[in-house]
Amino acid sequence: MDASDGDISASEVSRFINPALYPDLVELGGLGAAIAHAADRNGLDLGQVESASSNPRGHLVTARLHSARGPILIHLGKERRLFSISIEGEVRPWAEGATGDIDDAVGVVGAWRSGVTLRDLKSRFYFMDYDELAQAHESGDPVETQWKLLLHEEDRPILQDLLRTLYADPGLRGFFPYLSMGILCLARDISDRRAGEIRIVPGGDGSHRVQSTLSGEEREVPSTDQVLDAVKHLC
């Protein structure tokens, strides 16, 4: 699991890593090598430790490890000793957190690779957090949870009216709704963008442009109450 160059000197490592914050990393040859060392010390098999950066010296301050549920990224804090951890998924991050203890950081990786649930991960490592949607993905009901979360965003009354109208239609309730750059998107399959989606682009005068990414067809509608018919036509 050695992710260092092997012959890089401590003085060169200290050009990239603050030795006052990370004396152990400087001595061992960077973050990747320190993770491998901590994993060996704790009896953990973390697989290959790679760089999470395209920079030739990226392995000194970043690390990328693999799990069956997606990659795990670790970055060093600059202002204080901190190992920032992001557990990535196919669609969105599962969980993230930070600790100043490298043994805790490799413990998170080992636990996630072993298949622990989000709740178990949080109970073992208090600094790791996840949100309701991540929990829903793990439980298998992200679509219903995403509708619920969007429908409870009270600061967008016009969007709420549109969402309620769309959600009331049984045929559209199975689509995964999300917002991107002010555009409301309805994805047929959250894990496969090739399945296509319907995009609803608001205009400045209350009008909307409804687009299908599958057919390329689009419709202009003058008001919100006509969006539903346009969406159903393009489905």
Side-chain angles (χ1 to χ4, degrees):
M1 287 199 309
D2 188 358
S4 71
D5 288 342
D7 57 354
I8 187 170
S9 67
S11 62
E12 186 174 356
V13 174
S14 64
R15 291 173 49 205
F16 299 89
I17 300 176
N18 186 341
L21 297 177
Y22 305 99
D24 49 341
L25 272 63
V26 171
E27 179 182 355
L28 289 167
L31 176 59
I35 288 174
H37 184 267
D40 289 341
R41 183 172 64 244
N42 288 277
L44 296 172
D45 178 8
L46 302 188
Q48 185 67 33
V49 184
E50 302 171 348
S51 172
S53 169
S54 59
N55 188 295
R57 293 294 190 218
H59 66 275
L60 298 177
V61 295
T62 72
R64 178 186 178 96
L65 303 101
H66 299 274
S67 79
R69 290 173 284 179
I72 305 159
L73 310 180
I74 303 178
H75 293 78
L76 291 185
K78 294 182 179 180
E79 304 300 325
R80 60 192 179 99
R81 183 181 175 92
L82 209 61
F83 301 94
S84 296
I85 307 163
S86 178
I87 302 177
E88 302 294 310
E90 284 188 0
V91 179
R92 63 192 311 279
W94 286 107
E96 53 191 15
T99 176
D101 190 328
I102 193 170
D103 286 331
D104 282 344
V106 300
V108 168
V109 178
W112 189 252
R113 280 170 53 88
S114 74
V116 298
T117 64
L118 289 168
R119 287 193 179 94
D120 287 342
L121 185 74
K122 174 71 175 178
S123 68
R124 291 173 59 179
F125 303 96
Y126 70 92
F127 53 86
M128 294 300 295
D129 286 312
Y130 60 91
D131 60 21
E132 187 176 356
L133 190 55
Q135 180 63 68
H137 275 280
E138 185 177 78
S139 302
D141 61 346
V143 174
E144 180 63 27
T145 298
Q146 177 73 346
W147 277 108
K148 182 185 74 173
L149 292 173
L150 288 181
L151 285 166
H152 282 81
E153 286 191 5
E154 299 178 354
D155 58 337
R156 303 181 185 182
I158 296 178
L159 176 62
Q160 301 311 305
D161 290 341
L162 177 57
L163 284 167
R164 280 192 290 269
T165 298
L166 297 172
Y167 183 72
D169 186 280
L172 299 178
R173 206 174 296 162
F175 283 66
F176 183 87
Y178 70 95
L179 295 172
S180 175
M181 305 291 290
I183 299 172
L184 175 59
C185 305
L186 303 175
R188 289 181 171 83
D189 186 339
I190 186 176
S191 62
D192 186 2
R193 291 298 172 86
R194 294 172 300 178
E197 60 188 30
I198 302 296
R199 295 176 179 172
I200 304 169
V201 185
D205 56 356
S207 65
H208 291 79
R209 184 168 71 255
V210 183
Q211 307 168 320
S212 167
T213 63
L214 272 184
S215 67
E217 185 181 357
E218 62 179 54
R219 286 194 166 194
E220 296 278 352
V221 294
S223 61
T224 301
D225 57 6
Q226 293 175 293
V227 170
L228 177 61
D229 287 339
V231 170
K232 292 175 68 175
H233 173 81
L234 296 181
C235 284

